[in-house]
Amino acid sequence: MKSSVQRVVGDEVIALDAAFHGGPGILQIAGTGSNTVGRAPDGSRESAGGWSSRLGDEGSGYWIGVNSVRRALHAHDREQPTPNSSEGGRNLGHSQLADLINLGDRHARTGLCRAGTGHK
């Protein structure tokens, strides 16, 4: 009887296998989250990132959206409005700064995540 080894792995490993057919390579994922995973010729793997939106994921859609709103709010505090101030709110269906702040308070992740990814 033939025995087989089965492993549970994350989607980044599956994407790495698909991109490099199980061989060596480096894969950068930058979508809603961000992660980098690589495989050496000996089969060993290393990764960086993928720590979630609250702990890291720099360069992800969520990170871009949240930091855009933060920069717009900082500019507003200094009375230096930016295109992000009004455009970000319009993209989320809000025209007032207070509405955008309330959206962030009501939906700690989902509302602002949409700002970074372009989803409504």
Side-chain angles (χ1 to χ4, degrees), residues 9-72:
V9 297
D11 58 353
E12 73 281 359
V13 176
I14 294 167
L16 180 68
D17 285 344
F20 297 101
H21 307 288
I26 299 173
L27 181 70
Q28 171 68 55
I29 300 169
T32 304
S34 67
N35 196 345
T36 300
V37 62
R39 183 183 298 113
D42 68 2
S44 62
R45 281 195 319 259
E46 294 288 336
S47 65
W51 299 119
S52 82
S53 62
R54 295 188 188 267
L55 301 175
D57 276 354
E58 290 84 351
S60 68
Y62 177 77
W63 182 87
I64 292 168
V66 165
N67 282 288
S68 294
V69 171
R70 284 181 181 151
R71 290 187 74 168

Side-chain angles (χ1 to χ4, degrees), residues 61 64-73 81-104 110-120:
I64 292 168
V66 165
N67 282 288
S68 294
V69 171
R70 284 181 181 151
R71 290 187 74 168
L73 293 173
T82 68
N84 289 344
S85 304
S86 55
E87 192 63 32
R90 272 198 302 275
N91 285 339
L92 292 169
H94 300 282
S95 60
Q96 301 295 317
L97 182 61
D99 292 337
L100 185 59
I101 293 166
N102 290 334
L103 175 68
T110 57
L112 293 178
C113 185
R114 287 188 211 115
T117 61
H119 292 82
K120 292 187 179 186

